[in-house]
Amino acid sequence: MTKSELIDRVSQRLDHLNRKDTEVALNTLLDYLGEQIAEGRRVELRGFGSFGTKARAARKGRNPKTGDSVDVPAKQVPYFRAGKSLRTEVNRS
Amino acid sequence: MMGGQPPDIQPKEGDALLAITKADLVEMLHDRIGFSKKEAQELVETGLDEIRQALIDGEEVKLSGFGKFELRDKAPRPGRNPKTGEEVTISARRVVNFRPSQVLKARANGER
């Protein structure tokens, strides 16, 4: 499912919202989630899962083509952990 | 002064701010695009439910600019009960994996 399919499915279920309003709302929602995750906030969505960031330490890496040693800087990596009910349901079928 | 002070809750490290919840998302949609609280709540619940349902149906979900929720089938593997040390087999399972988009990864590092 792509974002545009998600917009279709959601607007079909909510008859008082047209596709355009649904699109604006879902884009605003995803943008806000991204903004909060990027700021290092945890996002906890009951029945779905949680988002956050994890720190990765700086490390020495190698350029796989040349074999040269390169410094990979420390960074924050966004993660998602599915909630218990989603984990169970995905695994059922 | 009588009466209770609110309990002094110390945030855990890396958790200095309270987590964002669905209620915050509803509030945000109300403030930013003028949805009523009811409309905003329906939108949040339906949006998450459609993503969830797609994953349960075995469908990957790719949200451009945000990330991709994919499914991975894991083979059974040996494990241990960490409490008893007993050897157990961890059964084959399907798990949800999230791959953040380049944009989200960059934003998390203060780029863009």
Side-chain angles (χ1 to χ4, degrees), chain A residues 38-54:
Chain A
E39 279 178 20
R41 298 285 289 264
R42 244 179 87 73
V43 179
E44 285 179 4
L45 306 174
R46 286 278 162 81
F48 187 73
S50 59
F51 294 94
T53 52
K54 276 181 186 156

Side-chain angles (χ1 to χ4, degrees), chain B residues 75-91 93:
Chain B
R77 61 188 169 89
R80 256 177 214 285
N81 180 326
K83 268 190 193 145
T84 63
E86 189 189 354
E87 286 189 36
V88 290
T89 300
I90 299 170
S91 57
R93 65 192 60 210

Side-chain angles (χ1 to χ4, degrees), chain A residues 20-70:
Chain A
K20 185 68 201 160
D21 289 342
T22 308
E23 181 177 4
V24 169
L26 285 173
N27 277 327
T28 304
L29 193 58
L30 288 173
D31 195 56
Y32 179 77
L33 287 175
E35 172 190 307
Q36 296 302 317
I37 295 165
E39 279 178 20
R41 298 285 289 264
R42 244 179 87 73
V43 179
E44 285 179 4
L45 306 174
R46 286 278 162 81
F48 187 73
S50 59
F51 294 94
T53 52
K54 276 181 186 156
R56 290 263 183 281
R59 61 187 171 85
K60 295 270 184 219
R62 294 232 171 243
N63 179 327
K65 264 188 195 151
T66 63
D68 291 351
S69 175
V70 289

Side-chain angles (χ1 to χ4, degrees), chain A residues 1-6 9-11 13-14 16-17 21-22 24-48 51 53 74-82 85-87 89-91 93, chain B residues 14-15 17-22 24-25 28-29 32-33 35 38-39 42-52 54-66 69 71 91-98 100 104-105 107-110:
Chain A
M1 176 169 75
T2 62
K3 187 154 82 183
S4 114
E5 287 165 334
L6 174 65
R9 293 179 197 186
V10 171
S11 73
R13 268 176 66 178
L14 301 177
H16 57 284
L17 279 186
D21 289 342
T22 308
V24 169
L26 285 173
N27 277 327
T28 304
L29 193 58
L30 288 173
D31 195 56
Y32 179 77
L33 287 175
E35 172 190 307
Q36 296 302 317
I37 295 165
E39 279 178 20
R41 298 285 289 264
R42 244 179 87 73
V43 179
E44 285 179 4
L45 306 174
R46 286 278 162 81
F48 187 73
F51 294 94
T53 52
K75 57 186 156 196
Q76 295 291 327
V77 183
Y79 72 83
F80 169 72
R81 185 171 149 79
S85 72
L86 180 57
R87 264 182 286 158
E89 298 243 27
V90 157
N91 198 31
S93 39
Chain B
D15 199 12
L17 298 162
L18 287 176
I20 299 286
T21 63
K22 284 183 198 171
D24 297 310
L25 303 182
M28 182 281 299
L29 283 178
R32 289 199 188 172
I33 59 175
F35 271 29
K38 184 167 175 284
E39 283 173 329
E42 279 180 353
L43 191 282
V44 169
E45 294 289 355
T46 310
L48 291 173
D49 188 58
E50 284 296 332
I51 296 172
R52 183 190 156 87
L55 293 168
I56 291 169
D57 293 343
E59 217 184 329
E60 297 199 327
V61 178
K62 190 176 178 185
L63 305 174
S64 67
F66 186 72
F69 298 89
L71 297 161
S91 57
R93 65 192 60 210
R94 175 171 283 184
V95 298
V96 177
N97 188 50
F98 176 68
L104 184 56
K105 283 200 270 185
R107 281 173 95 179
N109 289 283

